Amino acid sequence: APDETRIYRLNAGVEGVIREISAVTTGSQVTKDQWLATFSAHEARAPVQSYLVTLGVLDHQSQNEMEAPAQTRAANESSQIAIDRLRNLGISTIQIEEIRRTREVPATYRILAPADGFVLARNFSSGLKFEKGLEWCRIADLSKVWILANVFEREVKYITPGISARISLPYQEQVYTARVTDVPPQFDTATRTLKVRLEADNPGFVLRPDMFVDIEFLIP
């Protein structure tokens, strides 16, 4: 399973329309800041213009040495608030920097991958009208993964946090090393077993979500 701390969700912070999409689909491998799609949103125009106003104030203060430090500090805080608002709308840091540099309100905004990883879900298509809160995309960094082992109740007393285990795929010779985490085992009513969580490095991304693996616990 993907490590929950390495899952990234891209959500719409404003209503809009998807204008263009990339060739990325569910299962595709992406790199940080890779273009995924482009959208337009009328409601984003006012926040962008507000950000441009704060930039103008900062420019004026940088040219006027007589400005009081308190005014400069207030202008910087206003600028940061405007940036946070744009991020909440789903506008990437890269495009915010472009707005700062060009001092123009863009006609469209790009959806970029927040990290290297694999696409677990992709919920946009060209021409899609979306509402605020829609999950555009979900990406998981699979360089480290979780492995959930079903262990019988009578055996779980031997599985303690920190012990190692050998992980192998059926009919393959490659062996990986995993470690039992500090998370207590969770009881599974369907299989009448306890789920023990392990963490493992995943070189080459061989281990994928929902795969089955064999686990050999190294018990003293």
Side-chain angles (χ1 to χ4, degrees), residues 150-160 194 217 219:
N150 293 328
V151 179
F152 291 116
E153 292 179 76
R154 65 180 181 272
E155 299 173 339
V156 77
K157 62 183 179 183
Y158 301 110
I159 313 300
T160 56
L194 288 152
F217 289 103
I219 300 172

Side-chain angles (χ1 to χ4, degrees), residues 95-114:
Q95 192 149 21
I96 292 173
E97 175 58 26
E98 290 179 1
I99 294 171
R100 187 196 65 78
R101 188 175 64 254
T102 63
R103 305 299 172 97
E104 295 180 353
V105 179
T108 58
Y109 305 91
R110 298 189 300 278
I111 303 172
L112 306 180

Side-chain angles (χ1 to χ4, degrees), residues 34-214:
Q34 181 175 333
W35 173 68
L36 304 177
T38 301
F39 71 95
S40 61
H42 177 73
E43 293 180 26
R45 186 173 187 86
V48 173
Q49 289 175 330
S50 177
Y51 174 53
L52 293 177
V53 169
T54 65
L55 291 177
V57 173
L58 288 173
D59 289 344
H60 172 76
Q61 292 181 342
S62 66
Q63 297 169 4
N64 189 349
E65 298 179 355
M66 300 300 293
E67 293 287 352
Q71 293 177 313
T72 301
R73 184 167 59 253
N76 283 321
E77 291 176 355
S78 296
S79 177
Q80 188 57 52
I81 290 172
I83 290 173
D84 292 341
R85 188 179 180 189
L86 295 181
R87 287 173 177 163
N88 291 337
L89 295 179
I91 301 175
S92 67
T93 301
I94 289 178
Q95 192 149 21
I96 292 173
E97 175 58 26
E98 290 179 1
I99 294 171
R100 187 196 65 78
R101 188 175 64 254
T102 63
R103 305 299 172 97
E104 295 180 353
V105 179
T108 58
Y109 305 91
R110 298 189 300 278
I111 303 172
L112 306 180
D116 296 347
F118 290 82
V119 178
L120 300 182
R122 169 186 172 276
N123 301 313
F124 51 70
S125 56
S126 184
L128 172 72
K129 294 182 179 180
F130 57 84
E131 297 181 354
K132 180 179 179 180
L134 172 72
E135 183 182 82
W136 283 322
C137 200
R138 195 182 323 138
I139 295 171
D141 175 3
L142 298 181
S143 59
K144 289 182 180 292
V145 294
W146 286 355
I147 298 170
L148 305 176
N150 293 328
V151 179
F152 291 116
E153 292 179 76
R154 65 180 181 272
E155 299 173 339
V156 77
K157 62 183 179 183
Y158 301 110
I159 313 300
T160 56
I163 69 169
S164 297
R166 294 192 185 100
I167 308 299
S168 60
L169 292 165
Y171 311 111
Q172 294 189 29
E173 296 181 358
Q174 181 67 40
V175 175
Y176 303 88
T177 300
R179 184 186 63 84
V180 176
T181 68
D182 295 333
V183 178
Q186 304 295 312
F187 188 71
D188 188 330
T189 56
T191 60
R192 308 291 299 178
T193 59
L194 288 152
K195 285 194 177 293
V196 175
R197 183 194 297 175
L198 302 94
E199 293 178 348
D201 291 331
N202 188 21
F205 309 110
V206 175
L207 303 175
R208 297 295 181 92
D210 299 325
M211 267 187 173
F212 285 94
V213 295
D214 295 326

